[in-house]
């Protein structure tokens, strides 16, 4: 009789632990998929930033500002 109760207790333990184990495995898989999609989005944003060439853009803006200030300095003198 003890053998049957022991075998039954393993079945009950497996019935409790297997869903928990399965849940944890699927939760880990979902976390991995979510992390992968976040990394892909971040990589796409980085590629967009790299295409902007921020240093070149700032240099062009500085040249434009210098040019505009040069234009204002060369204004037509007032007639007296």
């Amino acid at each position: 009789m003890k053998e049957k109760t022991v075998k039954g207790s393993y079945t009950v333990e497996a019935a409790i632990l297997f869903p928990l184990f399965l849940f944890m495995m699927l939760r880990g898989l979902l976390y991995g998929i979510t992390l992968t999609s976040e990394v892909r989005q971040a990589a796409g944003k980085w590629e967009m930033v790299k295409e902007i060439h921020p240093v070149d853009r700032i240099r062009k803006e500085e040249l434009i500002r210098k040019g505009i200030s040069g234009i204002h300095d060369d204004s037509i003198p007032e007639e007296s």
Side-chain angles (χ1 to χ4, degrees):
M1 230 177 190
K2 288 184 179 181
E3 290 179 19
K4 288 184 180 180
T5 57
V6 170
K7 288 182 182 179
S9 68
Y10 289 138
T11 304
V12 172
E13 287 178 18
I16 293 170
L17 293 177
F18 183 73
L20 291 174
F21 176 74
L22 186 62
F23 172 76
M24 295 302 287
M25 291 296 292
L26 292 176
R27 187 68 180 162
L29 184 64
L30 179 63
Y31 180 71
I33 291 170
T34 304
L35 186 62
T36 302
S37 67
E38 288 178 9
V39 168
R40 284 185 182 176
Q41 288 176 355
K45 290 178 183 177
W46 173 248
E47 289 297 322
M48 287 174 50
V49 168
K50 270 179 39 178
E51 290 175 5
I52 293 174
H53 302 290
V55 174
D56 293 336
R57 187 172 182 161
I58 291 171
R59 286 182 184 154
K60 286 178 185 177
E61 287 179 8
E62 287 177 356
L63 289 174
I64 290 170
R65 286 183 187 154
K66 286 180 183 178
I68 290 173
S69 66
I71 291 172
H72 289 292
D73 292 340
D74 296 337
S75 60
I76 301 171
E78 296 180 13
E79 294 181 21
S80 27

